Every structure is written in structure tokens, then in C-alpha cells.
Amino acid sequence: MKLGFDKWIVVITVTTAALLQTIDSSIVNVTLNQMMGNLGASLGDISWVVTGYAAASAVMITMSGWLTAKLGRRNYFAASIVLFTISSIFCGTSTNVWELVFFRVVQGIGGGGLLTTAQSILIQTFPKEQLGIANAIFGMGVIIGPSIGPTLGGYITDNLSWNWVFYINIPFGIAATVLTYMFIKEPAEKVLAGKMDWLALILLTMGIGGLQIVLEKGQEEDWFTSEFIVIMSIAAGIGIIGFIWRQLIVKLPILDLSLLRQRRFAVGTLFNFILGFGLFASVFIIPVFCQTILGFTASQTGLLLMPGSIVTGMMMPVVGGLLSKNYISPVWYAAAGFLLFFGFCFDLSAISLDAGPDYFFWPLIVRGIGMGMIFIPLTTITLADLKNIEIPQGSALTGMIRQLGGTFGTAIMTTYISTRTVLHSSRLADNISIYNPLSAERIRQYTNLFLSKGDALVTATGKAYGVMQGAVIKQALVMTYADSFLIIGGFFLICVPLLLLFVGKKIEAPAHTEMVME
């Protein structure tokens, strides 16, 4: 069955909006150094540009189901795009770091409403026999966005100014707003939404916002040795527990946690957490390793990720088309995708200092195929048991969990790399001694090199030990990154037996709701 023209426009519109949100979650990371120089900010200050956006976005993703019901799907979606676009203008024109942080928070408020609302629009607009292709195109935005971000950010960093990281959103935002009002309609079946529960909103902001800040800033502040992190952790704990309690006792909650009583949805939500963990952790690790250890430029690193992203984009329609034929259960596609992602991680766990761009090519291609096979089947499995009116709330909950998974992944890997590097360095340093023939010979060679350049013996010996220390730290970092890939892969491997719990159970895409033509 062919998609009509209007429905193709809907797909393009919501995918554009999804790309704006996902690209902006990673594009800024590679421009932070330029921002620091131009705005006269410290590393601690400029990191709030990332943290503020992530925290605001996480809160709004959680709120998006309720806001969709309260304001109307089209109105909320369009308002989110407009707010995102306008705040992008002000981000680009910011003259100091705290002005930029403020408008990044506003941008996060707008961006948080884009992803989950876009997904629910697609599911409620298309009949189930067409949903595979529509979700495939949407999935390209969700999965490819975080990979395109560093590529685009690297190009802008090397060729333009940091301001263009934000200005690039403007034409796409305007186009998406116009298309939203022209082609996106309200569903015929309306969802009841209660009055704004201000206590729940405060608790949600404390809980999700506080947790996001703890995860983003924890390593930088040395975790619980910092009074700020301790306070934010307490606030996050109180907020999350209080928010859950509040949602369970009110008649019309902001976030319908009762959906988690459905086992398939609950397990699918766990998979979404792991998907976010692996996607964002791997996107974080590879650029950092390539730039800090191998000496790649931002543009080179971005281009390194591009082929895998293209493969993911090519796989999405293929998997979507196969799912629509019902030849194989989506469980098997997702299981194969998780295994391929584990294979990618296992391959890179043998990484070394000799690795060049060619070394990463095939593992990233495997990763791209795996991600392409995971997203659509996982969406089908997770939302299969939900009623149509429950889909916006279900999308909000899974979106929030996937976002938190990404933040947890980045925070855990950052901390792990820092602590594990110290351990590996200590073990390697134990082998450097004048009583170890190999290390003694290497020190002698370095000392002679510096003596030949005119250094005194004491100076040359000191420099020789300095070079050895640098080599030890670099080798320790390589070993740590290799361990990190294995840890990420382990999470994906665990998912395979869990997925097999659904084998033999009928899984169908959610039914759609006819559009109200206005």
C-alpha cells in the first residue's frame, strides 16, 4: 500500500523536528572549546550549556504526553518547534556564557516536546500496515541525529563560528512549523487531561532535572565529595520518589505510570534505556578517543561516524518494509540488532594506538546495521499492547527513559574512564624500573636522545622518565577505552535472552486513529 502525499509530508515534518532535537543534543559538544574562547568562560561554566539543555529536555519529554492532551497535538508540537527555533536565534546571539545557558534551557524546553510527540503523531496517523515505513523514516532521525551532530559540529567548528551551530536550526524550524499547521491534524479520539498539578511539576523538575545535573556534572565535581552534588542528589531522590507517589494517587496524572503494569511495555522500556545507554555512550567514547588519543580533528572524527549513520538510514526502510510483511517476529530483528551491536563493541575492545580511520570502518558499519535493526522492532514490541489514546503517554515515558539511559551511559563511561585509567596506569608503572631490563633500556635510549640534543644528564634523565610516564598514561587510556567497549557490549548482550521471552507471542503495531480534517 502506498503512502499518500499528505502522509509523506507528515513523515518529513516530524522527522525534521526529531532531527533538530537529536542533533542539538550532541552538536554543541565539539564547539565548546571555541565557545570558551569567544565568551571568556571556564570549562565548568561552559559545561552548563550541555547540562542545562539536557535537564530541561528530560523534564519536558516526561511532560509531553500530558501537554499533548491539554493543548492539542498539533498546537503543542508547533509551539515546541517555534520555541526551539526562537531560542536558537538567541543562543546564537548570546554575548556571555550565562545568557547562552539560559537560552539553552529554553531551547531544551522546546526540544523536549519534539521527539515523543513526533513519534505519537506517526503512530496515530498511519494504519498499522504502513507504520513500518513511517517509523523507519522517523527512526532515522532518532538514531542518526546523535551521530550526525559531531560531524556537523566538527565542520562548523573548523570552518565557521560556534554561532552557526544554532543558526542552522532556523530554516528547518520555520519549515517544520509551516508544515505542521498545514498537514498535521488532531486525532478524533481525545485524551482527558487534568488541571496542572503544580506539586507534581515541582517534584518532576527536582527529580529528573536534579538527576540529569548530577549525572552531567558528577565527574567534574568529583561526585559526592562535592556539597553541590550531594544537595542535588538529595533533591533528585526526594523529587523522583515524590513524583512517583503523586502520579499514583491522582486521577489524571501528568505521566501515566500504570502503563508499566503491562509486562511487554515495561520490558520494552528497559530495552529503550539500554538503547539510549549504548547509543550515546558509544557516540561519546569514539570521538573522545579519536581526538585525544589518536589526534584526529573534529571534522575527521565526524566523517568517521558518517558511513555507519548512512547504513543505519538505509537499514531503517528495509526493516520497516520487512516488518509490514509479518514474515518474522520483530523480536528476532531486535535480537539480531543487539547481537550486532555487541559484535561492534567486542571488535573495538581490541583497539590499539595503531588504529587509523580504516580500523573503525567495519565495526561502525556493523553498529549501523545493528541500530537499524533495533529501533523499529523495539518500538513495535514496546507499544504493541497500548491503546491508541495511551500512545502519547507511552511515547513520553519511553522517550524519557531513553534520554536518561543516554545520560547514564555518558556519565558512567566518563567516571569509569577516569578511575580505570588510574588503575591501569598504576599497574603499568610498576613495570617501569631500572631493575626491569626492557624499561631500563627504553629509559637509556630516551636519555641518550635528550643528551644528543644538548641536555645535561640530570635533565635528560628527567625528560626520559617524563616520556615514559606519558607513554604509560596513553597505554592506560587505550586499555580503559577497550574495557569500556566491553561493558557497553555486555548490556546489549544481556538483552538477547530477555527478548526471547516474547518469542511465540503475537506482536502487532498499534492501531491508528483516523485524522480529524479541519
Side-chain angles (χ1 to χ4, degrees):
M1 184 180 295
K2 295 182 179 179
L3 298 178
F5 175 76
D6 286 5
K7 290 182 180 179
W8 272 115
I9 297 297
V10 170
V11 172
I12 293 171
T13 302
V14 299
T15 303
T16 300
L19 272 170
L20 287 175
Q21 200 275 350
T22 55
I23 288 176
D24 255 64
S25 67
S26 59
I27 191 174
V28 173
N29 295 353
V30 294
T31 66
L32 292 179
N33 285 337
Q34 193 179 93
M35 290 179 185
M36 287 170 58
N38 289 355
L39 298 176
S42 66
L43 180 61
D45 292 341
I46 206 69
S47 65
W48 282 103
V49 173
V50 177
T51 304
Y53 178 87
S57 179
V59 171
M60 294 309 296
I61 287 173
T62 313
M63 291 279 295
S64 61
W66 181 86
L67 287 168
T68 297
K70 192 70 175 177
L71 304 177
R73 185 175 66 186
R74 181 176 64 180
N75 290 337
Y76 176 56
F77 190 62
S80 297
I81 299 172
V82 170
L83 184 61
F84 184 92
T85 306
I86 292 174
S87 58
S88 294
I89 298 173
F90 284 106
C91 283
T93 57
S94 297
T95 56
N96 65 74
V97 65
W98 297 115
E99 183 182 349
L100 176 58
V101 169
F102 173 78
F103 287 115
R104 275 287 281 178
V105 170
V106 177
Q107 190 185 43
I109 293 172
L114 297 180
L115 205 58
T116 55
T117 310
Q119 185 177 24
S120 64
I121 286 172
L122 278 179
I123 294 174
Q124 292 181 308
T125 300
F126 288 81
K128 63 181 181 181
E129 62 268 19
Q130 297 178 342
L131 197 59
I133 296 298
N135 259 335
I137 300 172
F138 169 74
M140 290 165 61
V142 176
I143 301 298
I144 296 176
S147 298
I148 289 179
T151 307
L152 193 57
Y155 178 83
I156 291 172
T157 300
D158 293 341
N159 298 280
L160 301 169
S161 68
W162 64 266
N163 314 76
W164 284 95
V165 165
F166 302 107
Y167 293 152
I168 197 171
N169 296 326
I170 298 170
F172 296 102
I174 293 172
T177 303
V178 173
L179 292 174
T180 295
Y181 276 109
M182 288 179 63
F183 293 97
I184 292 178
K185 310 300 180 183
E186 293 294 335
E189 195 172 5
K190 301 295 183 181
V191 183
L192 290 177
K195 295 180 180 179
M196 168 55 70
D197 187 340
W198 293 104
L199 175 59
L201 179 60
I202 292 171
L203 291 170
L204 173 64
T205 304
M206 284 176 55
I208 301 299
L211 178 61
Q212 192 83 29
I213 290 172
V214 169
L215 292 172
E216 294 274 351
K217 303 287 288 185
Q219 178 61 30
E220 179 186 327
E221 299 287 338
D222 199 18
W223 293 105
F224 298 106
T225 60
S226 165
E227 183 179 351
F228 171 72
I229 294 298
V230 171
I231 292 172
M232 293 306 298
S233 299
I234 294 172
I238 294 172
I240 291 172
I241 294 171
F243 179 73
I244 293 173
W245 165 78
R246 186 69 179 173
Q247 298 313 284
L248 294 176
I249 65 171
V250 297
K251 185 177 181 181
L252 295 172
I254 292 176
L255 187 65
D256 189 1
L257 298 178
S258 66
L259 296 178
L260 292 170
R261 294 172 183 168
Q262 302 183 47
R263 191 183 70 168
R264 188 176 291 170
F265 178 78
V267 177
T269 301
L270 171 64
F271 291 155
N272 271 280
F273 179 89
I274 295 173
L275 177 63
F277 185 103
L279 175 63
F280 283 91
S282 60
V283 168
F284 164 74
I285 286 177
I286 292 174
V288 172
F289 180 84
C290 289
Q291 292 182 53
T292 59
I293 307 299
L294 302 181
F296 290 9
T297 66
S299 295
Q300 287 175 323
T301 305
L303 290 173
L304 191 74
L305 297 170
M306 185 60 69
S309 301
I310 293 173
V311 169
T312 300
M314 293 170 63
M315 284 297 299
M316 289 284 189
V318 173
V319 174
L322 290 172
L323 280 176
S324 66
K325 304 294 184 182
N326 291 320
Y327 294 142
I328 303 175
S329 168
V331 171
W332 294 109
Y333 291 108
F338 279 113
L339 283 173
L340 286 171
F341 199 99
F342 170 75
F344 148 76
C345 293
F346 184 78
D347 197 355
L348 288 189
S349 68
I351 201 165
S352 71
L353 288 172
D354 297 327
D358 293 342
Y359 178 85
F360 292 92
F361 181 80
W362 286 112
L364 287 171
I365 293 296
V366 171
R367 174 185 177 273
I369 296 172
M371 296 304 289
M373 296 181 70
I374 292 173
F375 184 80
I376 305 170
L378 188 57
T379 300
T380 303
I381 294 169
T382 305
L383 303 179
D385 292 339
L386 300 189
K387 298 175 183 177
N388 192 68
I389 60 174
E390 294 174 332
I391 288 172
Q393 285 279 3
S395 297
L397 185 54
T398 55
M400 181 266 287
I401 294 297
R402 186 168 54 239
Q403 173 93 357
L404 285 179
T407 308
F408 267 97
T410 304
I412 289 172
M413 287 300 104
T414 301
T415 303
Y416 179 82
I417 288 169
S418 176
T419 55
R420 191 72 174 174
T421 301
V422 173
L423 177 63
H424 281 310
S425 296
S426 176
R427 289 176 176 175
L428 290 173
D430 288 342
N431 296 315
I432 299 178
S433 166
I434 58 173
Y435 302 109
N436 183 319
L438 292 177
S439 62
E441 175 61 21
R442 183 67 61 88
I443 292 171
R444 187 186 65 78
Q445 291 175 355
Y446 286 138
T447 301
N448 288 337
L449 174 65
F450 291 117
L451 285 172
S452 67
K453 295 179 180 293
D455 290 330
L457 178 60
V458 174
T459 304
T461 304
K463 287 183 176 181
Y465 275 101
V467 171
M468 288 291 287
Q469 184 181 20
V472 165
I473 292 173
K474 187 170 271 193
Q475 287 290 349
L477 281 168
V478 172
M479 294 169 67
T480 300
Y481 278 98
D483 294 343
S484 300
F485 282 114
L486 275 182
I487 290 174
I488 296 171
F491 278 96
F492 278 72
L493 189 62
I494 291 170
C495 287
V496 177
L498 291 175
L499 274 168
L500 296 180
L501 294 174
F502 297 122
V503 172
K505 298 186 178 183
K506 189 175 181 181
I507 299 174
E508 293 183 353
H512 78 300
T513 296
E514 295 297 331
M515 294 183 293
V516 177
M517 303 307 292
E518 301 178 34

